[in-house]
Amino acid sequence: MGLRVLGVNASARTDGFTAELLDLVLEAARRKGALTERLDLVRHPFPFCAGNYSQDPASCGPEACVQGPWDGFGKVAERILGADAVVFATPVYWFSASARMKALLERMTSMENQGLLNLGKPMALLAVAEEEGGSQALAQMLLPLSYMGFVLAPLGLVYAHRKGMRSLKENPELLEDARIAGENLVLMAERLRGASFQEPLPSYRYLAPLPGAAAD
């Protein structure tokens, strides 16, 4: 069975520049032999994170969210968990990742709080800005996703300044960046598939005595 690469589009539009860049990366992954799927978050609305982690960390998990695991986010989580690699793509709104991307990252707390369910999963990150802010948006995604266990593919950070272009395909350097990101993502997924990585105990477990620990 071929590798499954999921593309997550956090734009309000399914046919905008962010989707265009994401499609270019997914196309490169397909040419490398992967099975690809694009998921547009706008088609799968879900509520914001309720912040239950701060109240009861042990109940924050994919099957224990106080909002229910299938409130819309569950379908998104299922696709992410089932993929061998993920491309996260966001437009840049006011020098930042989109609200949809931020909402996704916050809800993904339930996928790392009781064990890093995406540990060792390769990722690529894309950002499309009108002018500036692409690097800031990439950084806003990179740090939380890295803490969740995702692994950035070599040259897997791609951003575009689309001002003045009718299509991103007018930029040959960007086309090459997208190709390399897609191909490297598949190459890394092939090498890491089935690999076992170390992970810490869930943070809330440090608050409870370890099994077998002597009582004072």
Side-chain angles (χ1 to χ4, degrees), residues 6 62 73 76-86 88 107-123 144-152 192 195 197 199:
L6 175 70
F73 171 73
V76 176
E78 185 178 44
R79 297 297 212 333
I80 293 173
L81 292 172
D84 296 297
V86 184
F88 295 93
R107 288 298 302 271
M108 285 176 69
T109 301
S110 64
M111 300 165 68
E112 62 85 35
N113 180 50
Q114 296 186 15
L116 301 178
L117 303 185
N118 292 292
L119 182 63
K121 184 170 294 184
M123 67 175 176
L145 289 169
S146 295
Y147 272 103
M148 292 178 190
F150 286 90
V151 183
L152 183 67
L192 293 183
F197 296 91
E199 65 175 304

Side-chain angles (χ1 to χ4, degrees), residues 4-8 22 25-26 80 83-89 101 105 108 118-126 138-158 180-190 192:
R4 293 164 295 180
V5 176
L6 175 70
V8 178
L22 179 56
V25 175
L26 293 177
I80 293 173
D84 296 297
V86 184
V87 186
F88 295 93
M101 178 57 72
L105 296 177
M108 285 176 69
N118 292 292
L119 182 63
K121 184 170 294 184
M123 67 175 176
L125 305 179
L126 316 179
L138 291 175
Q140 289 166 354
M141 294 188 289
L142 177 60
L143 190 58
L145 289 169
S146 295
Y147 272 103
M148 292 178 190
F150 286 90
V151 183
L152 183 67
L155 301 176
L157 295 175
V158 181
I180 291 171
E183 292 187 1
N184 282 349
L185 186 66
V186 174
L187 289 171
M188 175 173 273
E190 290 173 343
L192 293 183

